Amino acid sequence: QVQLVESGGGLVQPGGSLRLSCAASRANFGRYNMAWYRQAPGKERELVAGISSGGSTNYADSVKGRFIISRDNAKNTVYLQMNSLKPEDTAVYYCKGSWLSVYWGQGTQVTVSS
């Protein structure tokens, strides 16, 4: 069983930045494909960004050019740098890891509001 723990959410003004972190509880983290999802009230959970075990990345069109996903395998951690935040980025952000099975974190709230 892998535990994923997100941190870094909070309240930020439009145009601001936040960095989310997701720490995994066990070794072999480098073998996991990792991703960030988000779910806004009344909406389905959607993929924000993903990073493969080999380091390839992909992004939702809505965040391209603003968000950057990265990983530090030595720290068992994946990051989501979010810049130029918009009110429509407000959501609970979830970390997902997949290798042999799929694991989810508990989520962290991001609120973009003036």
Side-chain angles (χ1 to χ4, degrees):
Q1 187 75 11
V2 175
Q3 289 187 329
L4 301 175
V5 180
E6 300 100 334
S7 61
L11 173 64
V12 63
Q13 292 186 343
S17 298
L18 281 176
R19 189 176 81 155
L20 305 183
S21 299
C22 171
S25 64
R26 62 181 294 174
N28 293 322
F29 176 77
R31 298 190 181 193
Y32 286 79
N33 295 319
M34 302 298 298
W36 287 96
Y37 283 71
R38 67 187 180 188
Q39 187 166 19
K43 294 188 177 181
E44 294 187 354
R45 192 173 296 189
E46 63 174 0
L47 174 68
V48 175
I51 184 166
S52 71
S53 57
S56 298
T57 59
N58 62 286
Y59 297 91
D61 288 343
S62 59
V63 306
K64 281 181 181 176
R66 300 188 298 122
F67 291 10
I68 300 172
I69 188 171
S70 62
R71 65 191 300 159
D72 185 338
N73 292 337
K75 295 182 178 180
N76 288 1
T77 301
V78 63
Y79 304 97
L80 185 68
Q81 177 67 44
M82 304 186 295
N83 301 318
S84 302
L85 283 161
K86 304 175 181 180
E88 51 264 44
D89 295 317
T90 295
V92 178
Y93 283 70
Y94 296 91
C95 176
K96 174 188 171 183
S98 55
W99 177 58
L100 303 182
S101 189
V102 176
Y103 303 93
W104 290 91
Q106 82 288 351
T108 186
Q109 176 71 46
V110 172
T111 302
V112 185
S113 176
S114 55

